Amino acid sequence: MRPVLILLLAVTAVAVGTWMELQRFKTTPLGVPDESLVLDVPRGTSLRGLGEEMTARGLLDSPLLLVLLAHLSGDAARIKAGEYRLEAGTTPVQLLDLLTAGKVVQRPFTLVEGW
């Protein structure tokens, strides 16, 4: 009986610690510099791959937390490809909102008459 209780306490401690870390992660701004930057999400990029790229660029501390947050919020399968502008102070929750809404960067395009 005692090993089962110890195992249950250990699992509970890990679950509570993970939940607390996820709550901190959700509200901590990404490592976006003072000016905005453009994040390119190519078609077919996995959420884990995106998280690893963002970690390599210094935007995230942990790709695993981004994946966990996306799965818990139901956004993991709804990420859209494109170029996204990230402003300083953007949180992981706001990032997922951008990626699922498909709010990509709009670029000007001019057609000269007669060309």
Side-chain angles (χ1 to χ4, degrees):
M1 180 71 176
R2 189 174 188 146
V4 173
L5 182 59
I6 291 172
L7 179 62
L8 182 61
L9 287 174
V11 168
T12 302
V14 169
V16 168
T18 302
W19 181 82
M20 289 175 62
E21 182 62 19
L22 189 61
Q23 296 308 309
R24 182 204 59 80
F25 176 75
K26 286 171 41 175
T27 59
T28 302
L30 301 172
V32 178
D34 290 337
E35 68 278 355
S36 64
L37 65 86
V38 174
L39 177 67
D40 183 33
V41 180
R43 186 176 307 269
T45 300
S46 69
L47 185 59
R48 185 172 190 90
L50 176 62
E52 289 172 357
E53 177 192 337
M54 292 180 71
T55 300
R57 292 177 65 180
L59 299 173
L60 283 177
D61 293 334
S62 170
L64 181 62
L65 289 174
L66 180 66
V67 171
L68 181 61
L69 178 62
H71 281 287
L72 290 175
S73 65
D75 292 336
R78 298 180 11 205
I79 303 295
K80 294 176 176 62
E83 290 182 329
Y84 297 90
R85 182 169 312 285
L86 302 181
E87 303 291 336
T90 301
T91 65
V93 171
Q94 293 168 331
L95 170 67
L96 289 175
D97 288 343
L98 279 174
L99 296 174
T100 57
K103 295 181 183 176
V104 295
V105 173
Q106 301 292 316
R107 301 206 183 265
F109 183 74
T110 304
L111 291 174
V112 178
E113 189 175 344
W115 279 31

